[in-house]
Structure formats: structure tokens, C-alpha cells
Amino acid sequence: MSIHLIGGGATTTADAALYAPFVAEAAARASAAGRTRPRIAVISLHPEAQEKAAALAELLAAAGEGIEAHATAGRSGEPVALSAIADVDGIAVGGGVVEEVRAGLEPLFGELRRQVAVGVPYLGVSAGAMVAAEGSLGGGTRIGGVPVAPEDPDEPWLELEIESGIGLVDVAIEVHVAQRGMLSRLVAAVESGLIAGGLGIDERTALIVGDGRLGSEGEGSVWRVLPTEGGVLVSTIGI
């Protein structure tokens, strides 16, 4: 089974094809367990969690017939209960404020790793993709006080910090890359040594990690940023 990471922006049923590989894997797992419908945990820790959880469940339903969505709309500052991901064939985590998504899921990190290890596919969208990494990028746009990405006018001078993530992938994940000018942040984070390497995903684009391979689907690019002698190496992963 695979880890499916979407860089955001894919919010309408026209984007259902990006979610289809994840739903197909969940359906295959359900079938192997003797279930006719895959049970998928849908978790939202967005400020508008109820609406976002329902929208993500709708997208998954459009991507594959007959899913059974178990939606959890979390609240800021409250951890997600273990029961939210119990006895499911797939786990989907939506976007929001990355620090809040990480904090809400933190008590489940060990169980999430265990389930993926035994074959439950994981889908992360936007912040849900970022927290899948071993080291999760925060929302800051400065490193050592120097701007490295477009800044939020409401939160200028916010320093980029790295916190522990779920640990499903061993490099940092950046999202909304081309649309929000975030490639420069990923490059600066690698060049400074803040992270050892990273993958950046454009909107309406999915990175699929599984069976020792990396693949991408969608209309944008997946950017790979690795350290090299004297700087960094930037490349893209082809579809």
C-alpha cells in the first residue's frame, strides 16, 4: 500500500481522479478483509472542520463507488481520538493550519505508522501531507530572520520551525509550491541544514510513495530538493 500526498487546491469533483488511486487501494484492502465497501477515516482539523470533512468525503466518494466514510471534525487544541482510525481500510487527513493539524494528530502518530506498515493507505492533503513527514515544516517564512518565502501580512517575522511528524516519509514535504512561491522556502531550508532534503508538491498534484518508488499524478510538478556540494540540487519527479 502507498502514501498519497496532494499539494492542495484539488477541491472539486473534477479533481476526483487524483484521489482515485488511494480509494482503489482502500477498496482492495477491504476486499481482502471480506468487506464489500471500504471504510475510510476522514479527518479534518481545519477551522471549518465540519464543512471540510464533508467535502473531502464527497471527493473520495466521487473517486470510487461505495465507500463508507467515517468523518471526524476535530477542534483546535484537542487531540483526535484513537477511535477515529480504528478498523478502517484507509486514512485521509485534510488541510488546515499545519501546526494545529500536527498537534491534533500527534497522539496517533504511532498508531498511524503501525497501520500504514500493515497495509492501510494514507492520504494527506495540504497540511495533511506536510505532517506525514518525519520532520514537519511549520508555517514560518523566515530562516535566521531572513525572508525565504512570501510572508503573511498578519504574521510577519515568523521563523520556520521543524517539528516531529508522523514519519511516513523521511524527507520534509512542502505544498502549494508553485501557487504560493514556496519552492524558495524549501531550497533555503535544505541549504541552511534545517532539513536534510525535501519534496515540494504543486496544487492539483499528487505524490505517491510506495514499494520503494516515487510517482506523481496531476497537472503540476513534484519538486525534489537535495543538498549537494556547495549548494542544493533541484529537480522534478516526472509523471
Side-chain angles (χ1 to χ4, degrees):
M1 294 298 174
S2 305
I3 300 152
H4 304 255
L5 307 177
I6 295 176
T11 58
T12 72
T13 53
D15 301 303
L18 282 180
Y19 299 83
F22 164 77
V23 174
E25 288 192 9
R29 180 171 176 81
S31 179
R35 289 191 283 268
T36 57
R37 301 174 64 195
R39 300 171 181 168
I40 299 179
V42 179
I43 299 172
S44 176
L45 291 153
H46 192 278
E48 300 170 357
Q50 292 280 358
E51 295 86 345
K52 297 297 184 180
L56 181 52
E58 182 180 351
L59 271 169
L60 295 174
E65 294 182 4
I67 73 162
E68 184 181 324
H70 294 252
T72 297
R75 297 181 180 179
S76 178
E78 295 184 9
V80 175
L82 185 61
S83 58
I85 59 171
D87 194 25
V88 294
D89 303 300
I91 299 167
V93 179
V97 179
V98 64
E99 289 85 356
E100 294 180 2
V101 174
R102 195 206 71 83
L105 291 177
E106 187 173 16
L108 305 184
F109 282 179
E111 178 61 12
L112 287 165
R113 287 193 297 271
R114 187 195 71 80
Q115 291 209 32
V116 171
V118 298
V120 176
Y122 176 91
L123 170 75
V125 182
S126 189
M130 294 175 74
V131 301
E134 184 174 313
S136 175
L137 295 169
T141 55
R142 294 188 175 220
I143 297 177
V146 178
V148 294
E151 298 192 274
D152 184 341
D154 296 326
E155 291 188 301
W157 293 93
L158 190 61
E159 192 75 7
L160 175 61
E161 296 183 354
I162 311 297
E163 297 188 81
S164 60
I166 301 170
L168 303 180
V169 293
D170 58 6
V171 294
I173 300 295
E174 184 65 277
V175 294
H176 304 285
V177 174
Q179 291 72 23
R180 299 186 185 178
M182 302 307 287
L183 182 59
S184 58
R185 187 174 84 149
L186 193 57
V187 168
V190 173
E191 193 275 336
S192 68
L194 195 60
I195 57 176
L199 294 167
I201 312 168
D202 289 346
E203 291 184 1
R204 292 188 169 83
T205 306
L207 168 68
I208 302 174
V209 183
D211 300 324
R213 67 178 183 87
L214 298 176
S216 66
E217 300 284 347
E219 65 182 44
S221 298
V222 174
W223 305 85
R224 178 165 27 204
V225 181
L226 298 172
T228 188
E229 185 176 355
V232 298
L233 174 66
V234 179
S235 61
T236 57
I237 296 171
I239 294 175

